[in-house]
Amino acid sequence: MSDSIDLAAPQAPTIGFVSLGCPKALTDSELILTQLSAEGYRTAKTFAGADLVIVNTCGFIDDAVKESLDTIGEALAENGRVIVTGCLGAKAGEDGGNLVKQVHPKVLAVTGPHATQEVMDAVHTHVPKPHDPFVDLVPATFDSKIGIKLTPKHYAYLKISEGCNHRCTFCIIPSMRGDLVSRPVGDVLSEARALFDAGVKELLVVSQDTSAYGVDVKYRTGFFDGRPVKTRMVELCEQLAVLADPYGAWVRLHYVYPYPHVDELMPLMAHGRVLPYLDVPFQHSHPDVLKRMKRPASGERNLERIAAWRRACPELVLRSTFIAGFPGETEEEFEHLLQFMHEAGIDRAGCFAYSPVKGAAANELPEAVPDAVREQRRARFMQVAEGVSAARLKRRVGATLQVLVDHAPMLGRKGGTGRSYADAPEIDGTVRLLPPAKASTQIRVGEFVRARVVAAQGHDLIAEAL
Ligand code: SF4
C-alpha cells in the first residue's frame, strides 16, 4: 500500500513513501507521515520525483520479505536515496548482520518497527527540515490527536499496544517488535474520541495480543477526562463503546486470545455496544500442536468457551487463522482441526500451509511435514472452512442488517458495496448492494444503510438497501 499526501508549501522537499504489511505497520506509517507533514515535508507521487524514499517493510513470512526487498530494490533503482523502516529492518541476515543492509548495501539508513523518531533523524540527516516547526507547525487540515490516516475517512485502526510477551515458536515478531508495551489508556481513548469526531464510523482495535492489554503495567489505573480507567481490555472496550455511541459508530476487536476474561466482553457485544465480532487467531485446535506452537491460552477449552460465548451472544461472528502442516502434525491431529472447524462453526477462516520463517524456534522442531502434505492439508482445511462459512452465511438471507458503505458511485444509483458487522475491511467478505428500488434512496460512502439480504454468494452477501 502506498499513499501520497500534499499538505505543505510548494518548495518543500518531497519524500516518497511506501507502506507494506499489516495494520500495525500501517499505524507506524501513519505516525511517520504525520510527523513528516507536521515538519513541512511533502510526500511525492513517484519514487523518481522525490528527494528521498521511505519504505516501511514487513518481515513476517518469506513472501512478505521478498516483496519488501523487491520494493527497496525498485526504490533504489528509481531514486537511489532510500531509508528502510519496519519489521524487516529488525531482521538479521545469514551472516548475523542486518538483512536489509546485506541485500541492499546502498540504503541510507535502516530502523526496526515503531521507530518514528529514528526515521525522522535519518530523514533530517539526508534532507534537512524545510522550516522551523516552532514557527510554522501544523497544516490547517491536520488534527494533532489523530495525525494522518492511510485508511478511508470512515474507518481507522487504533493501535493499543506494541510488541508481544508470547513466544510462539513459528513467529519472530517479538524479536522484531520487542515485549508488550501498552499505550496509556488515556492516550488511546483521546485518540479514539478524536477519530470519531473526525468522522470515523468504524474503529478497528489492533495490537499483537489485544486481550493482553495492560499486562505489562499490571492493569494500572490511568485517567481519561479526569476519570479513572483501568488499563485493561474490558474496561477499554466499555469506554470505547461510550465514545462511539453518540456517533452510532462501530468498535471492532482484532487479535483477541481466548482467555477467561474475554467472556466479560459478551454482554457488551450482546447489547451491540461493541460489534459481536471476534478475530481470534487460534492457529490450531489440537492441544499437542498448540503446545509445540507455544500458543497463548493453549490450555483453554476452546470449544466450550466458544459455545458459552455464543450462548451469551448468539450473533457473535468468529474470524480466525490456522496453520496446516506444522512440524510433527500427525494426520490424527490434523483431523482434530477439521472436526474443530465443524464444531466451532468459525464464520471466517484463513489457513496457511506451514512455512518456516528464518530465525523462528519451530525450525528446530523434529518431524517436518513434507511440503506436498502441508499444501494438501491446507486445501482440505479450506474446503471444510468454506463449507462451514457458506452455511453460516446462508442463515443471514432474509435478515435486515446495518451496512457501512465503502463504495457507491453516483450516490449508489448503480448499487455499491459495504460491510456488515460480520465483515472487517480487507480480510472478510462484503455486502453487495443492489441498485435501490426507489429513486429517492441514496447510498453514500462512509454512511450506514439498512439493507435486506436477498442472497449469499461465496464470501459475500447480496442485499437491497431499504
Ligand atoms: S502472540 Fe505469538 S504469533 Fe502473535 S505476535 Fe506474539 S509471538 Fe507472534
Side-chain angles (χ1 to χ4, degrees), residues 283-284 322-326 329 334 337 351-355 374-375 377-378 381:
Q283 307 301 8
H284 211 281
F322 296 88
I323 296 173
F326 189 73
E329 184 189 61
F334 175 67
L337 175 58
C351 183
F352 295 100
Y354 172 74
S355 95
R374 291 181 215 169
E375 203 34 65
R377 286 184 183 167
R378 190 198 69 81
F381 175 95

Side-chain angles (χ1 to χ4, degrees), residues 303 337-346 384 387-388:
L303 277 178
L337 175 58
L338 297 184
Q339 191 55 31
F340 172 84
M341 277 305 293
H342 281 296
E343 288 179 31
I346 302 292
V384 170
V388 171

Side-chain angles (χ1 to χ4, degrees), residues 44 63 81 107 124 136 194 209 212 215 232 239 250 275 292 294 301 307 319 329 352 357 370 381 403 413 442 451-452:
D63 283 354
R81 289 156 63 81
V107 294
H124 298 152
D136 183 15
D209 176 358
V215 166
R232 186 170 177 268
Q239 294 304 315
W250 287 348
L275 289 183
R292 291 201 292 281
K294 289 209 178 144
R301 299 179 166 191
R319 136 159 292 276
E329 184 189 61
F352 295 100
V357 171
F381 175 95
V403 174
R413 257 181 277 154
Q442 291 187 343
R452 187 181 307 112

Side-chain angles (χ1 to χ4, degrees), residues 147-331:
I148 289 170
K149 291 283 160 202
L150 293 176
T151 44
K153 194 167 175 277
H154 58 283
Y155 68 82
Y157 294 99
L158 179 70
K159 185 154 68 170
I160 61 170
S161 61
E162 188 54 59
C164 180
N165 284 349
H166 305 297
R167 294 293 180 265
C168 302
T169 51
F170 55 82
C171 176
I172 53 166
I173 284 177
S175 68
M176 296 190 288
R177 292 193 164 240
D179 281 340
L180 176 75
V181 179
S182 300
R183 288 181 64 200
V185 70
D187 290 5
V188 172
L189 290 169
S190 297
E191 184 179 347
R193 178 162 59 194
L195 287 166
F196 290 133
D197 284 346
V200 163
K201 297 282 173 41
E202 178 179 9
L203 197 63
L204 302 124
V205 176
V206 295
S207 66
Q208 304 298 343
D209 176 358
T210 295
S211 33
Y213 180 60
V215 166
D216 54 317
V217 293
K218 303 195 172 57
Y219 306 118
R220 172 173 66 205
T221 299
F223 288 88
F224 176 60
D225 275 355
R227 281 177 292 110
V229 184
K230 258 190 166 185
T231 312
R232 186 170 177 268
M233 178 184 65
V234 178
E235 283 78 356
L236 174 70
C237 290
E238 279 164 0
Q239 294 304 315
L240 289 175
V242 170
L243 293 176
D245 188 51
Y247 300 92
W250 287 348
V251 176
R252 188 187 296 282
L253 304 181
H254 288 283
Y255 318 118
V256 175
Y257 287 97
Y259 288 111
H261 71 288
V262 176
D263 302 356
E264 295 172 46
L265 289 174
M266 291 306 127
L268 280 175
M269 293 189 168
H271 292 111
R273 300 186 59 220
V274 168
L275 289 183
Y277 173 102
L278 270 183
D279 175 0
V280 187
F282 286 110
Q283 307 301 8
H284 211 281
S285 63
H286 196 284
D288 294 344
V289 182
L290 289 170
K291 253 183 232 141
R292 291 201 292 281
M293 289 178 166
K294 289 209 178 144
R295 289 296 286 161
S298 63
E300 300 295 331
R301 299 179 166 191
N302 289 336
L303 277 178
E304 285 170 28
R305 171 139 286 128
I306 291 170
W309 287 347
R310 289 218 161 102
R311 277 195 302 279
C313 179
E315 293 300 311
L316 182 68
V317 160
L318 286 174
R319 136 159 292 276
S320 191
T321 46
F322 296 88
I323 296 173
F326 189 73
E329 184 189 61
T330 62
E331 176 62 22

